[in-house]
Amino acid sequence: MPDSEFPEIRLSGIGTAPGICIGKAYLVDKEGVNIVKKYYIGASAIEEETARFQEAVARAEAELRSIIQETSEELRQHTGILETHIVLLKDRMLYGKVVETIEREKINAEWALKKVVSRLKAMFRKVSDPYFRERAMDIVHVSDRIMRNLSGGANVDIKSIDKRVILIATDLSPAETSQIQLEWIKGFVTDGGGMASHTAIIARTLQIPAILGASNATALIHNDDLIIVDGTSGTVIVHPTEQSLLEYEERKQRFEAHQAMITRASQAVARTADDVTIHIMGNIELPEEVVSVRDNGGNGIGLYRTEFQYLGRTTFPTEEELYDKYKDVVEVMAPRPVTIRTLDINGDKAVAHTRVDDEPNPALGLRGIRYCLKKPDVFKTQLRAILRAAVHGNVRVMFPMISNCPEVIEAKRLLREAAESLEADGLPHNADIAVGIMIEVPSAVIIADLLAEHADFFSFGTNDLIQYSLAIDRTNRHVSHLYNPLHPAILRMIRRVANVTRGSGVDLYMCGEMAGEPLYLPILLGLGFTELSMNPQAIPLIKHAIRAIDMAAAKQCVDDAYRMTEAREIEAMLRNRFGEILADYAYISSKIEG
Amino acid sequence: MNKDFNGIYKEVRIVNKLGLHARSAARIAEIAQNAKSSVWLLKEGHDAVDAKSIIDMLTLACGQGVTVKVGVDSRSDAGVLDEIVKLVECGFGE
């Protein structure tokens, strides 16, 4: 409903996931995931609104008192903080200010409470003593309790979105993104973030249009505003005119027709314009995902993450359990290859029962091959399951987090031992499988020539390699914008390894996120990758893009990129030369195939 | 403070280990609620804060060893003042 009351506004940001969506905006609050209803009240309603707030405070107080009462004597000493919270409920700076704000600004209680708490939090942020600064949390807890009582017990939060909306947020943390019921989300718009942020990756994986870095989006867009998101060009249109709506409906149809065309072609082989065949594989975590890899035209599994079966349990999975799962995947994919990465326990995914002591820096701690070599029994159980599954198809094994040669030698020795023990037990197995390593630690890049002696293939894990090389924690919003696969250092590292593999008999693969992004494709082809593995949803798009790229042009582009000093320059060159043929953009031009 | 000022104040040192933390501030606030006039707390270099408000007191970030002035705006609230001073001096009984 284009409303003449509101003029059309256009915002631009970074189009991080292509596609067009038209729908209602749903704002996620700046300070977290809770959405606070905001509305003005008439002067006559002030008294009623104040009373509503007072009732909520009274209920919050009653809740706290009953918690204290229900606490057993021996734990009573810990309820002291709750008694403090009871006093805080009535604190002039909180209670008094909220009542004042309702009266003065004529706004609803939830909004007034949110405003007062935001101001208090800002005040505490200036306190230099960390103990006192942390006390802002007590205020937040107390106000959350009042808020729950105000909104009738039902927390309005990101988890409870139940209509198809376009999510508008300042920024979304991985934790927040993981809470969203994604089937309800038509699109994303955020003030911050960029191409490589977590939200962008999720959006691309799920093929939801997304625009990040649209500063002011949260200030200019209101809940329930009608908006158009064009994730390809990076345009957000608020209060679109009838004309814009028509235009974008038509573009949306063109985009969808284009997508359908790409999907139809996804089962065909991906050959570059000059006839070089590239194998496009899928990354999976659950055995069920093989279906998606096949449907999307994947030529195999380039990365089978095996952590899932170790999570949320109290005991380690048995060899039989692992074997059953691996066998399922291998059989469905046969004769196409399935690359099984051995257990890569890391900071995000720790096996609950083995978490003996917390590591201050899990990304640099006991994970991947380091963990497996320390727990040879756990490792061998997995290796035996892999060797047994190898009877049913084409299996490769891949070791994660390799940082030196002895690790590979030792892992291969354990693999041999596993084969010997299977032999002794008289169990069918296949020990004649390709053994590769992940290239994701900078030291592995530097000693690639030494590692090549021990491996049948190298597979780049770009996510970790970039984080470790550029010293960036991608989940840290202060530095995440610096995460960039086109950093000249990353290109140099990949090229170094590519040069080592040339003519050595070691195959060069990539299974990191970089492989699933069409923009980086010319670089990867130019560097000599013959196999790329990605989220299954990205396969059709990448295959489509490969068919439009010429190897000579790709090699030229690597040479040129090598002389450039910054990522921005390289990205501009790629967009300039390949923008038109990268599938994201194709549907806009008039040359629509199919 | 102007001439008409009819209030009184006392200086007191925060002796307990945790300083003027949430729970101790809550106890001051509880006592201060009984006063008819304003009860304030002053830390060198800061504006006076309302001793009836925990939040206000916490923003002062008074650690152990800090000396503060506690005052009431009316002499009739001298009893409240004494009670607060006593509480602070004994380290909130911690």
Side-chain angles (χ1 to χ4, degrees), chain A residues 334-588:
Chain A
R336 287 163 280 206
V338 173
T339 316
I340 304 178
R341 181 182 70 187
T342 58
L343 189 58
D344 184 20
I345 288 189
N346 63 32
D348 307 327
K349 304 174 177 181
V351 177
H353 63 288
T354 55
R355 196 167 187 173
V356 192
D357 40 17
D358 281 333
E359 293 180 278
N361 217 335
L364 304 179
L366 187 63
R367 51 171 291 200
I369 199 68
R370 304 166 182 178
Y371 172 87
C372 287
L373 294 180
K374 206 180 162 191
K375 300 263 177 141
D377 291 346
V378 175
F379 192 35
K380 264 199 206 158
T381 303
Q382 185 179 31
L383 294 175
R384 279 172 57 109
I386 293 171
L387 292 171
R388 286 175 61 192
V391 172
H392 306 281
N394 183 353
V395 170
R396 305 164 176 166
V397 66
M398 175 162 79
F399 303 125
M401 285 293 286
I402 294 292
S403 61
N404 59 42
C405 289
E407 283 168 347
V408 192
I409 294 165
E410 179 64 8
K412 286 178 81 172
R413 190 182 65 79
L414 291 169
L415 184 65
R416 270 196 310 279
E417 276 186 20
E420 283 158 18
S421 67
L422 285 167
E423 190 71 48
D425 295 345
L427 286 166
H429 64 280
N430 174 12
D432 185 22
I433 59 174
V435 179
I437 61 172
M438 293 280 294
I439 302 287
E440 54 188 338
V441 179
S443 64
V445 171
I446 308 296
I447 59 165
D449 54 329
L450 305 176
L451 290 170
E453 304 284 317
H454 307 284
D456 298 317
F457 64 91
F458 286 160
S459 187
F460 272 91
T462 49
N463 311 3
D464 278 332
L465 183 63
I466 296 168
Q467 298 206 67
Y468 292 139
S469 304
L470 304 184
I472 286 162
D473 172 0
R474 207 166 51 166
T475 60
N476 177 339
R477 62 176 65 172
H478 302 293
V479 295
S480 59
H481 65 283
L482 296 170
Y483 179 98
N484 193 331
L486 292 178
H487 190 296
I490 302 302
L491 295 188
R492 278 164 165 73
M493 291 173 99
I494 300 175
R495 187 153 116 151
R496 181 186 177 95
V497 178
N499 288 341
V500 166
T501 58
R502 196 158 295 137
S504 70
V506 177
D507 289 322
L508 184 64
Y509 311 147
M510 178 175 283
C511 62
E513 274 156 17
M514 190 176 181
E517 167 54 52
L519 183 65
Y520 309 139
L521 193 57
I523 297 261
L524 300 183
L525 295 183
L527 284 167
F529 283 87
T530 53
E531 185 182 300
L532 301 171
S533 191
M534 59 208 65
N535 289 317
Q537 292 80 0
I539 294 172
L541 197 66
I542 294 289
K543 279 192 161 184
H544 175 77
I546 285 174
R547 298 187 183 112
I549 296 173
D550 185 276
M551 284 302 269
K555 282 185 183 130
Q556 184 59 49
C557 143
V558 171
D559 288 343
D560 294 343
Y562 208 72
R563 283 189 289 272
M564 295 178 178
T565 53
E566 56 174 325
R568 212 169 33 177
E569 201 183 344
I570 299 172
E571 183 172 336
M573 180 267 287
L574 287 168
R575 288 198 188 280
N576 185 23
R577 284 189 206 173
F578 297 95
E580 267 182 40
I581 58 173
L582 295 179
D584 289 28
Y585 305 91
Y587 77 96
I588 288 178

Side-chain angles (χ1 to χ4, degrees), chain A residues 153-296:
Chain A
N155 247 346
V156 191
D157 65 38
I158 214 161
K159 278 179 286 189
S160 64
I161 294 176
D162 60 355
K163 53 182 183 196
R164 297 270 288 151
V165 292
I166 299 170
L167 209 65
I168 318 291
T170 314
D171 211 342
L172 289 170
S173 72
E176 286 158 357
T177 331
S178 68
Q179 283 193 335
I180 304 171
Q181 305 281 313
L182 291 154
E183 65 268 27
W184 295 112
I185 307 301
K186 286 176 148 182
F188 287 106
V189 179
T190 65
D191 289 350
M195 203 67 190
S197 73
H198 189 76
T199 312
I201 291 154
I202 296 270
R204 277 200 296 276
T205 308
L206 297 167
Q207 301 181 298
I208 297 172
I211 298 180
L212 308 191
S215 30
N216 284 334
T218 52
L220 293 166
I221 302 172
H222 300 97
N223 255 335
D224 287 336
D225 276 353
L226 183 66
I227 61 174
I228 299 174
V229 171
D230 180 353
T232 309
S233 67
T235 311
V236 188
I237 305 174
V238 193
H239 310 304
T241 60
E242 200 73 58
Q243 181 64 38
S244 304
L245 275 174
L246 279 172
E247 182 192 328
Y248 275 88
E249 275 294 353
E250 197 215 340
R251 271 204 206 189
K252 185 167 181 259
Q253 279 166 17
R254 259 196 287 162
F255 178 76
E256 278 159 10
H258 176 71
Q259 288 292 102
M261 181 273 294
I262 289 175
T263 309
R264 276 197 302 278
S266 69
Q267 296 298 331
V269 177
R271 277 195 201 92
T272 59
D274 46 349
D275 232 20
V276 176
T277 301
I278 309 292
H279 300 284
I280 302 302
M281 323 275 278
N283 293 348
I284 65 165
E285 181 150 11
L286 304 174
E288 297 75 45
E289 289 173 294
V290 284
V291 180
S292 167
V293 174
R294 286 196 61 157
D295 288 352
N296 283 295

Side-chain angles (χ1 to χ4, degrees), chain A residues 77-78 80-81 83-84 87-88 90-94 120 123-124 127-129 131-132 135 138-139, chain B residues 18-24 26 29-30 33 50 52-63:
Chain A
Q77 62 183 88
H78 299 296
I81 189 66
E83 279 161 21
T84 306
V87 186
L88 266 176
K90 293 286 182 58
D91 198 290
R92 182 182 63 80
M93 303 271 287
L94 184 67
L120 290 174
M123 217 160 84
F124 274 91
V127 174
S128 56
D129 183 307
Y131 169 79
F132 287 98
R135 299 286 57 77
D138 289 317
I139 298 169
Chain B
L18 286 172
L20 190 49
H21 60 101
R23 218 186 306 177
S24 46
E30 272 176 306
Q33 306 286 351
D50 181 358
K52 292 177 186 176
S53 165
I54 306 175
I55 298 173
D56 223 2
M57 286 184 276
L58 286 177
T59 58
L60 285 184
C62 294

